[in-house]
Amino acid sequence: MNTEIDLSMEIPTRYIERFGVFEDLGFCIAPYVLSDGEYAYQYSQRLMAGQNVIMDNGAYELGGAIDIKAILEAAERINCGWAFPGLIIIAPDHPTDKEATIRSTMEFRDKLAGEAISPTIRIAAVVQGNNPKEQTDCYNYFVRQGFGYICLSFLWDRPKLLSLKPNWHPHIRHHLLGCYGLDEIRWMRAYATLPPNASIDTVKPLKAALAGKYLIDHVRGGGKWDHNIVLDEEQERRYRINCAALYAACHTYISHDECSPIYNRPTDTYSDARGIKEAV
């Protein structure tokens, strides 16, 4: 146990350079790449520096994924003429619907194959299903189809699937879409069978700071975030502490005394039982 998790976060434009130091890889939103030149520039610089960047298709922010041409335009904008490796694009998915997700993912890959897309750009498939068996079947299908990057969503009961100790493929990178909080990360690292080469993304440190809270006290939710937001001094201070707490949870040793062996995902509200209130 205690496999470390690479951290990525959704970060507002003016704070990418400052708070990106807490990340192991970047996580950007395609519609923001297209609408905000500075946002796009920051992630193109990270790619040029050799860092991996995951680009989400923007389904959550827009209420539906942007079209293939827009995704390609966003990829070209931050990948600087596709000269640098490290960009991973998340394929469209349908929450809890395995068959629809498989269809949309394969169609997405076929469409990209028909475009002049850089061979260095990778596609990440998202596992979906109505129960752990469907989710496992979906995962195994994408493995057989040769996807080297597979995402596990928090919208279904991810802790339940992890508790079943799935047979993860050792040569695939796994990304955990979204995060319930510090307790989930501690539990995954101390007790669950985490997939190898795991990473995670979240916007929780920002949402907690905006609510005037530390990550330990943050209640689940908070609505959609604004990439143009400007924080006041106190919000920025809490944001930094929250990012540091999250990074520590992903990378420092987690003992069994720090969390329960049983973890149930939150439903309507959620508050971490433990956390770091003061950090660098």
Side-chain angles (χ1 to χ4, degrees):
M1 303 298 182
N2 260 285
T3 302
E4 293 187 30
I5 304 174
D6 285 343
L7 176 62
S8 64
M9 297 180 290
E10 293 94 318
I11 303 176
T13 303
R14 70 174 56 214
Y15 303 103
I16 293 171
E17 190 170 359
R18 248 177 292 173
F19 291 90
V21 297
F22 293 105
E23 294 183 291
D24 300 291
L25 69 162
F27 191 94
C28 66
I29 310 297
Y32 299 162
V33 168
L34 293 174
S35 65
D36 186 334
E38 178 60 25
Y39 184 89
Y41 172 77
Q42 289 289 341
Y43 285 103
S44 69
Q45 291 301 295
R46 296 176 76 165
L47 284 166
M48 288 178 67
Q51 186 179 53
N52 284 333
V53 173
I54 296 174
M55 187 171 74
D56 189 83
N57 56 49
Y60 175 76
E61 285 74 18
L62 295 182
I66 59 178
D67 63 43
I68 182 66
K69 289 184 178 179
I71 291 174
L72 288 172
E73 182 183 346
E76 184 174 14
R77 185 166 296 185
I78 67 169
N79 215 37
C80 304
W82 302 338
F84 301 93
L87 182 61
I88 303 107
I89 303 174
I90 297 177
D93 64 300
H94 302 267
T96 75
D97 193 328
K98 180 189 78 171
E99 297 301 330
T101 294
I102 287 174
R103 284 196 302 272
S104 64
T105 301
M106 300 310 294
E107 288 171 3
F108 183 76
R109 186 165 77 170
D110 290 344
K111 286 180 180 178
L112 261 65
E115 300 286 342
I117 189 167
S118 168
T120 65
I121 293 178
R122 290 164 285 175
I123 300 172
V126 181
V127 169
Q128 291 293 355
N130 211 26
N131 53 62
K133 183 184 183 305
E134 285 192 358
Q135 292 152 10
T136 301
D137 289 346
C138 186
Y139 174 83
N140 289 332
Y141 177 85
F142 288 139
V143 169
R144 291 194 301 271
Q145 293 301 314
F147 285 91
Y149 231 104
I150 295 181
C151 302
L152 308 176
S153 176
F154 83 110
L155 293 177
W156 38 260
D157 197 341
R158 188 169 63 201
K160 184 176 181 180
L161 177 64
L162 293 175
S163 297
L164 297 176
K165 303 186 184 305
N167 185 24
W168 304 114
H169 196 286
H171 302 301
I172 288 175
R173 293 202 63 87
H174 299 82
H175 184 76
L176 308 174
L177 287 167
C179 170
Y180 290 118
L182 296 177
D183 266 5
E184 184 199 19
I185 291 176
R186 292 193 180 105
W187 171 81
M188 286 192 297
R189 295 191 58 218
Y191 289 102
T193 303
L194 265 177
N197 307 310
S199 57
I200 196 167
D201 73 87
T202 182
V203 72
K204 274 188 168 47
L206 174 66
K207 289 183 178 180
L210 290 172
K213 297 178 181 292
Y214 295 109
L215 198 56
I216 180 179
D217 302 316
H218 179 51
V219 177
R220 184 182 174 214
K224 297 180 180 180
W225 65 287
D226 181 1
H227 73 291
N228 289 315
I229 197 163
V230 178
L231 305 177
D232 63 31
E233 186 175 338
E234 177 60 19
Q235 288 172 331
E236 187 171 337
R237 186 184 73 84
R238 289 177 185 266
Y239 189 20
R240 180 171 295 278
I241 290 171
N242 291 342
C243 289
L246 189 61
Y247 184 87
C250 287
H251 290 288
T252 59
Y253 178 79
I254 304 295
S255 73
H256 284 187
D257 293 336
E258 292 184 68
C259 55
S260 167
I262 305 299
Y263 178 80
N264 295 313
R265 74 185 179 111
T267 51
D268 295 328
T269 60
Y270 177 67
S271 178
D272 286 296
R274 296 174 181 268
I276 299 175
K277 284 197 173 183
E278 297 300 331
V280 294

